[in-house]
Amino acid sequence: MSKAVLVDVTKCYGCGACTVACKLWNGKEYDDAKKPTVGEKAQLTDINWTVVSKHKVTDASGKTVWRFAKKQCLHCEEPACASSCLVGALRKTEEGPVVYYPDLCVGCRYCMIACPFGIPKYEWDKSFPEVSKCQMCSSRLAKNEAPACVSVCPNGVMKFGDSEQILKEARATIASDKRYIKHIYGEKEAGGTAWMYISDQPFEKLGFKTAVKNQSLPEYTWKIINKIPAALVVWGGILTGVYMITNRRNAVKSSKNNENKGGKS
Amino acid sequence: MEKSNGKTGAVSRRTFLKGVTGAGLTGAAAALTGCKSTGKPAGGTGWTPQQYNVPENWPVQVRGRVPIDPENPSIVRDDKKCILCGQCIEACNKVQSVQGYYELPIKDDITCVNCGQCSLWCPTAAISERDDVDKVITALKDKNLHVIVQTAPATRVAVGEEFGLPPGSIIEGKMVAALKKMGFHGVFDTNFTADLTIMEEGTELVTRVKNALAGGHGGGEGGHHAPMALPQFTSCSPGWVKFCEYFYPDLLEHMSTCKSPQQMLGALAKTYYAKKKGIDPAKIVSVSIMPCTAKKFEAARPEMNSAGIKNGNAKMIDVDYALTTRELAKMMKIFRIDLTTLKDQHYDNIMGEGTGAAVIFGTTGGVMEAAIRSGYFLLTGQNPPELLFNLEPVRGLQGVKKASLNVPGVGELRVAISHGLGNARVLLDQLREDKKNHREPRFHFIEFMSCPGGCIGGGGQPRTALPPSDAVRQARLDSLYTMDAKMYKKRLSHENKEVQQIYTEFLGKPNSELAHQLLHTKYTDRGSQLTAKKKA
Ligand code: SF4
Ligand code: SF4
Ligand code: SF4
Ligand code: SF4
């Protein structure tokens, strides 16, 4: 059964617990000075799989108010990133997450270009970089646990459940409460995503890409791949060679990384 | 739902190949994908606390954390140290009744009364005060500046804990010695302005009570210069004041117009003291050592520039830096001063005398007791009877305390005390209800302290066992009463010689025009910055 998350932007007070949960669970580094996870400057980066961006908007009475929007990979039903990946390093699972397998990745970064939301990031700072993005806590979902960020939220901003149920709830909420705008972001965007949002503010004011096409993108992506010149394929072959060497080193390095986890502060 | 890419490697490759046939890439693609297993997915190598690792969406005891605005003048949080234990929410919600007491969505403010209780509860010290130690050290190094410092009552029974002494160790003289050693040019006692507060606030209370006796109705209507509503609320705890501004702005007419002792001393340092010593007020840097993180917020309030206005420079603020007790200990350690080995020294003259009535400001019930002692004098012209020197009903750690006493010529004076903001709501909701039903006020005077135990349990005090325990609070509190009863020569604020002196030389009389300019303040209705939850 495919899972989904509904984010209610109106309930978030910007505590950032979700961003910390993500870092704790996924062993990501902290860099509050250069890569803040909460606030006006917060942006998804290689180490920030999720951020809470702050927006100054106007409420119904014309007063300036703050809204916080919890952002991460939207986990498309038909993900362009996965379709664009030549080696299947990005895969949509039946539970809902679009999962990245670093061992398969050749580092071509097509996914970054393909994603209509600009989600996948690249670990430019590392000598053996990987693509980096929210996994929707696939290993927790496998145990029927909610994603880490969802679990820790003190305000129940995020609801986790079966996608049909979640969509029903979203519809019911915006129908019954007139404060909400009549739009479920993620219901149709890019053909539908596993993470959906409801809000009392227009989504473009909260930093969401609203120009995204409503139909799914893979079809469109195939067209791009059809046009990939032969030279690129050769380049891909070379990358594979390079990859086989780096993969070894990565394996060594990642075991070292594991030893360090938790000790970083 | 149809997936363009299936779950397994085989399906994935097939769909992929389906997609690329016709472009002549089949061979290349096959080479690229190879026949590898997928390996492990990214992520999921870390941990989250146990309560979050259960299937589905079960309720849990503690979840998440308090929001902290990066601009918060009092507290900061280091995400690297946060373990999402939820203790800060416990403190903020259960003890202070702040988090969870406003509706979502929020407006244009992260609701916080700056009390710092979360910083005491946080087990990893992820939350701590905004550290101003470096700024003070820089000022001390600047030969052009005249840096003065004041220390709050509760600091002298707590800072020793940071040097291994048991809770409640009385360390006043050594603390003064340490401050002098660090190079402060004047070391003053907030007790001095605590006594002054009693004169100002007591006079204000007497005016309100007499107004009521004369048949004037509370509420401040009728063109009165000052609010006349009864009960009068104490105003020396800045966390409490902000709490009232947020959640009970309709009751602000009850708030004493007196500034807190910290702000009184700040305003006087750059006027009275500067004049007496012939120092340019612009060269004075005014530092305070407080048991409190909310004092940083209070010092930064835009209206806290009375000395500046008096001196013709509105940008000059009354208190430049408010440090917590913890920051003071840190500073001593930076200077390599072992507090325990120093010889006792005295506070400096002009603003250095304090009475026993002032030192008990640091505990819940203390302001009340001090006010009663001098209020009695102000109302009757006589010193209070012995009984009023040990007012048991207002002492101790019970959340809400009530007492009444007979004042000759006035009748029964009824008072109440609360500490910990959750407890304040009991008295405030009752008052609201009474006012709605046009009932006579139950009390004449109410002391509110933001923190459990009063300032001795303040958010800037040394961290203790978890959660902060009453045993430690009791030890600190007992010591303040010991100082009042046994160590200080005087126990009545109005007998403080330096207080008497400042009235003759500078202020005139309590609640004079000048006193109002420098020692009194006004409040901000913050009701529109949040949507307070209706009482359940
Ligand atoms: S679902 Fe998991 S990986 Fe994605 S943002 Fe939440 S905690 Fe991070
Ligand atoms: S944990 Fe919840 S309330 Fe806190 S920032 Fe994340 S979504 Fe918002
Ligand atoms: S300082 Fe006080 S009001 Fe602010 S978050 Fe901490 S406990 Fe809550
Ligand atoms: S108490 Fe400290 S460690 Fe625990 S959730 Fe709050 S900030 Fe994090």
Side-chain angles (χ1 to χ4, degrees):
Chain A
M1 189 51 161
S2 181
K3 297 287 185 187
V5 177
L6 178 62
V7 184
D8 184 342
V9 170
T10 68
K11 289 186 179 170
C12 176
Y13 65 15
C15 71
C18 48
T19 70
V20 171
C22 184
K23 286 193 188 280
L24 283 177
W25 182 253
N26 295 306
K28 291 289 150 200
E29 278 172 41
Y30 298 79
D31 185 354
D32 210 39
K34 289 205 210 82
K35 298 173 179 175
T37 53
V38 183
E40 272 150 319
K41 297 208 185 83
Q43 270 183 346
L44 296 179
T45 68
D46 55 339
I47 57 169
N48 296 346
W49 284 3
T50 184
V51 293
V52 177
S53 58
K54 179 182 167 185
H55 306 270
K56 289 186 177 146
V57 292
T58 318
D59 73 0
S61 66
K63 249 195 86 187
T64 299
V65 294
W66 300 350
R67 287 291 175 271
F68 291 95
K70 198 260 182 207
K71 311 252 175 81
Q72 72 298 305
C73 169
L74 288 144
H75 299 274
C76 304
E77 295 307 337
E78 298 175 41
C81 60
S83 314
S84 76
C85 182
L86 294 167
V87 294
L90 281 155
R91 296 161 191 230
K92 177 81 178 172
T93 65
E94 254 165 35
E95 292 86 11
V98 177
V99 176
Y100 170 71
Y101 293 90
D103 288 356
L104 296 182
C105 179
V106 295
C108 71
R109 305 188 297 279
Y110 287 170
C111 52
M112 294 170 67
I113 300 158
C115 174
F117 303 104
I119 299 293
K121 303 293 171 201
Y122 200 57
E123 298 174 331
W124 295 103
D125 299 345
K126 294 202 176 163
S127 20
F128 303 104
E130 291 172 2
V131 166
S132 196
K133 77 163 198 69
C134 160
Q135 302 285 297
M136 203 171 164
C137 289
S138 59
S139 58
R140 292 174 69 96
L141 260 61
K143 289 186 278 179
N144 197 22
E145 289 174 12
C149 53
V150 175
S151 301
V152 304
C153 176
N155 296 333
V157 169
M158 296 158 277
K159 271 209 189 96
F160 170 71
D162 296 336
S163 47
E164 277 114 77
Q165 191 56 38
I166 287 292
L167 189 56
K168 245 190 236 162
E169 264 195 68
R171 286 189 182 129
T173 312
I174 61 168
S176 67
D177 191 334
K178 61 177 183 329
R179 288 178 309 167
Y180 290 93
I181 55 159
K182 304 288 171 250
H183 180 179
I184 301 167
Y185 189 90
E187 181 187 5
K188 303 226 173 71
E189 277 75 8
T193 60
W195 282 66
M196 287 173 271
Y197 291 78
I198 54 175
S199 162
D200 64 343
Q201 294 288 334
F203 286 102
E204 62 268 21
K205 293 213 171 130
L206 303 174
F208 286 88
K209 291 206 164 97
T210 43
V212 173
K213 288 194 173 59
N214 274 353
Q215 84 264 28
S216 82
L217 295 173
E219 207 185 323
Y220 180 68
T221 320
W222 293 133
K223 284 182 203 147
I224 296 176
I225 290 186
N226 273 329
K227 295 201 178 80
I228 293 171
L232 251 187
V233 177
V234 174
W235 175 236
I238 295 168
L239 277 177
T240 313
V242 174
Y243 159 78
M244 280 156 101
I245 303 161
T246 59
N247 190 39
R248 267 246 167 68
R249 297 201 199 142
N250 270 340
V252 175
K253 190 168 149 278
S254 80
S255 67
K256 272 194 196 141
N257 265 351
N258 282 339
E259 283 163 29
N260 289 336
K261 294 264 159 59
K264 284 178 197 150
S265 65
Chain B
M1 248 164 281
E2 232 183 281
K3 304 277 183 297
S4 60
N5 268 354
K7 216 177 151 185
T8 65
V11 176
S12 159
R13 192 155 68 238
R14 198 165 58 238
T15 32
F16 175 74
L17 293 182
K18 207 168 79 193
V20 290
T21 18
L25 293 176
T26 319
L32 288 176
T33 47
C35 291
K36 290 167 56 72
S37 78
T38 59
K40 269 210 189 135
T45 52
W47 61 282
T48 50
Q50 171 263 349
Q51 73 263 36
Y52 306 126
N53 303 327
V54 287
E56 292 149 11
N57 298 307
W58 293 96
V60 297
Q61 173 69 358
V62 279
R63 198 195 287 281
R65 59 182 196 171
V66 294
I68 296 178
D69 194 311
E71 310 277 307
N72 191 313
S74 298
I75 52 167
V76 293
R77 176 163 48 203
D78 182 352
D79 273 356
K80 291 195 292 291
K81 299 179 192 153
C82 176
I83 53 171
L84 299 175
C85 68
Q87 292 306 301
C88 48
I89 285 202
E90 287 290 286
C92 194
N93 176 283
K94 303 258 161 55
V95 180
Q96 299 299 57
S97 69
V98 173
Q99 192 274 354
Y101 282 75
Y102 48 87
E103 303 281 0
L104 301 169
I106 61 161
K107 293 192 172 175
D108 60 346
D109 181 47
I110 303 286
T111 308
C112 169
V113 302
N114 308 75
C115 68
Q117 283 301 309
C118 52
S119 78
L120 283 185
W121 284 59
C122 177
T124 62
I127 303 178
S128 61
E129 61 275 60
R130 189 173 282 281
D131 194 327
D132 293 317
V133 167
D134 288 349
K135 292 185 193 141
V136 174
I137 293 180
T138 308
L140 280 172
K141 281 189 188 146
D142 189 335
K143 292 281 167 281
N144 286 317
L145 299 174
H146 184 86
V147 190
I148 61 132
V149 65
Q150 56 170 313
T151 65
T155 56
R156 68 203 70 196
V157 293
V159 70
E161 290 161 36
E162 296 279 4
F163 291 83
L165 299 178
S169 299
I170 298 168
I171 197 121
E172 178 184 297
K174 296 190 193 321
M175 183 172 74
V176 172
L179 289 165
K180 293 195 169 170
K181 216 170 163 183
M182 287 190 273
F184 286 97
H185 302 98
V187 180
F188 299 119
D189 198 349
T190 315
N191 281 359
F192 164 71
T193 34
D195 281 329
L196 196 62
T197 300
I198 289 299
M199 298 310 290
E200 292 294 324
E201 198 163 332
T203 306
E204 184 186 352
L205 178 65
V206 167
T207 311
R208 291 193 195 216
V209 170
K210 282 193 172 155
N211 174 70
L213 284 176
H217 29 221
E221 328 96 313
H224 282 295
H225 172 67
M228 285 298 151
L230 284 176
Q232 176 176 308
F233 298 165
T234 59
S235 57
C236 37
S237 167
W240 142 248
V241 169
K242 197 178 184 196
F243 178 82
C244 191
E245 292 175 326
Y246 269 139
F247 293 102
Y248 297 88
D250 50 315
L251 301 180
L252 281 173
E253 57 174 356
H254 294 267
M255 189 72 74
S256 162
T257 59
C258 288
K259 284 183 184 171
S260 72
Q262 163 181 277
Q263 292 305 134
M264 285 195 185
L265 201 138
L268 293 173
K270 294 186 183 181
T271 53
Y272 173 64
Y273 170 77
K275 205 165 123 195
K276 256 178 111 73
K277 293 283 251 182
I279 303 168
D280 175 6
K283 296 235 157 79
I284 296 180
V285 176
S286 178
V287 180
S288 69
I289 311 292
M290 294 285 140
C292 179
T293 52
K295 289 284 168 193
K296 290 178 189 277
F297 164 77
E298 184 184 41
R301 288 178 72 121
E303 68 274 19
M304 292 298 173
N305 61 344
S306 326
I309 288 176
K310 191 112 191 65
N311 290 319
N313 174 10
K315 282 201 188 110
M316 177 192 292
I317 60 171
D318 296 342
V319 174
D320 296 285
Y321 305 112
L323 302 186
T324 62
T325 312
R326 293 194 294 266
E327 283 172 284
L328 170 62
K330 179 181 164 188
M331 210 171 141
M332 289 178 188
K333 288 170 186 174
I334 291 173
F335 278 84
R336 298 179 186 280
I337 293 173
D338 182 358
L339 183 66
T340 56
T341 61
L342 299 181
K343 264 189 74 190
D344 287 7
Q345 289 197 38
H346 290 293
Y347 286 101
D348 291 321
N349 292 335
I350 303 180
M351 301 192 294
E353 181 178 337
T355 69
V359 81
I360 57 173
F361 259 60
T363 152
T364 164
V367 179
M368 180 58 69
E369 196 169 337
I372 287 174
R373 291 182 199 169
S374 284
Y376 191 97
F377 173 81
L378 290 169
L379 280 164
T380 67
Q382 285 165 11
N383 274 349
E386 192 54 31
L387 169 79
L388 293 193
F389 282 95
N390 295 296
L391 209 56
E392 286 305 330
V394 305
R395 296 186 175 185
L397 289 171
Q398 203 190 317
V400 178
K401 293 169 281 188
K402 296 169 189 172
S404 72
L405 58 144
N406 263 301
V407 183
V410 175
E412 199 187 26
L413 192 72
R414 295 180 304 274
V415 302
I417 291 134
S418 83
H419 56 114
L421 292 169
N423 294 322
R425 286 183 184 270
V426 178
L427 294 167
L428 293 163
D429 288 338
Q430 194 180 57
L431 175 60
R432 245 187 201 165
E433 196 61 24
D434 285 352
K435 285 183 92 169
K436 210 169 81 194
N437 298 311
H438 305 289
R439 288 196 204 107
E440 278 295 295
R442 288 168 206 239
F443 303 105
H444 297 94
F445 194 28
I446 308 183
E447 177 202 292
F448 291 100
M449 290 281 170
S450 164
C451 293
C455 311
I456 47 125
Q461 291 283 67
R463 291 191 172 87
T464 58
L466 282 170
S469 77
D470 269 354
V472 171
R473 291 191 192 106
Q474 190 69 46
R476 293 175 185 164
L477 172 162
D478 289 343
S479 294
L480 289 186
Y481 285 120
T482 306
M483 293 177 90
D484 171 34
K486 305 224 170 79
M487 295 170 66
Y488 282 31
K489 290 191 201 86
K490 296 174 189 158
R491 301 185 67 190
L492 297 166
S493 297
H494 56 273
E495 291 183 348
N496 182 322
K497 275 266 154 359
E498 289 182 353
V499 167
Q500 291 169 352
Q501 190 185 0
I502 198 174
Y503 281 116
T504 22
E505 286 183 18
F506 187 63
L507 292 168
K509 56 182 186 23
N511 292 11
S512 68
E513 200 55 42
L514 184 58
H516 263 283
Q517 276 173 30
L518 291 178
L519 310 180
H520 291 251
T521 187
K522 51 189 185 330
Y523 302 102
T524 310
D525 181 339
R526 294 179 200 273
S528 63
Q529 295 176 9
L530 47 63
T531 317
K533 269 191 186 161
K534 296 264 174 305
K535 240 185 102 200

